[in-house]
């Protein structure tokens, strides 16, 4: 069953965040793919219906929670994560279970 890693945060240093995104984008996407993952959204214009609005939302689909967790704690992600966290605040992340088809949900 697929899982989705969701990250929601505020960008507090846009210059540093932009530099991080440009320098690490290829390595980040490659590392995510190494764990079977795929970025399905990265949106700085999300419409928040309830709760406090944050400036960035990112969603990554992984084949399993094992692969999502292995990616999260991988050396390459930890290196990039330090740069991301230095330019963001109010960081929330979580993993949700998906389903392969609507038949599983019904």
């Amino acid at each position: 069953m697929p899982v989705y890693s969701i990250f929601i945060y505020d960008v507090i240093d846009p210059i540093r965040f932009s530099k991080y995104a440009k320098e690490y984008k290829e390595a980040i996407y490659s590392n995510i793919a190494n764990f079977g993952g795929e970025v399905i959204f990265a949106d700085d214009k999300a419409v928040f219906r309830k709760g406090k609005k944050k400036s960035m939302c990112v969603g990554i689909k992984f084949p399993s929670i094992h692969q999502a967790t292995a990616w999260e704690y991988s050396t390459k992600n930890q290196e990039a994560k330090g740069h991301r966290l230095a330019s963001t605040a109010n960081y929330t992340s979580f993993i949700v279970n998906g389903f392969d088809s609507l038949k599983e949900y019904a």
Side-chain angles (χ1 to χ4, degrees):
M1 171 183 350
V3 299
Y4 298 87
S5 291
I6 311 296
F7 305 90
I8 306 170
Y9 49 88
D10 288 319
V11 176
I12 58 170
D13 185 341
I15 294 170
R16 186 171 185 168
F17 186 81
S18 179
K19 183 179 178 185
Y20 146 77
K22 287 177 185 172
E23 286 182 15
Y24 286 91
K25 183 177 182 179
E26 188 174 316
I28 291 167
Y29 278 71
S30 174
N31 191 41
I32 289 168
N34 288 341
F35 290 89
E38 172 189 11
V39 176
I40 56 172
F41 63 85
D43 190 357
D44 63 353
K45 294 175 181 40
V47 176
F48 281 74
R49 305 287 301 209
K50 299 206 188 278
K52 186 177 182 296
K53 182 184 183 329
K54 304 233 177 140
S55 58
M56 181 62 76
C57 299
V58 177
I60 306 171
K61 180 180 180 180
F62 288 96
S64 70
I65 195 163
H66 173 75
Q67 287 165 291
T69 303
W71 165 77
E72 177 71 23
Y73 294 103
S74 70
T75 301
K76 287 184 180 180
N77 184 55
Q78 293 303 308
E79 290 170 4
K81 185 177 182 178
H83 295 283
R84 181 176 65 247
L85 292 178
S87 60
T88 62
N90 305 317
Y91 193 87
T92 301
S93 68
F94 51 94
I95 297 174
V96 296
N97 290 313
F99 48 88
D100 292 321
S101 71
L102 288 176
K103 291 179 184 177
E104 288 181 38
Y105 188 71

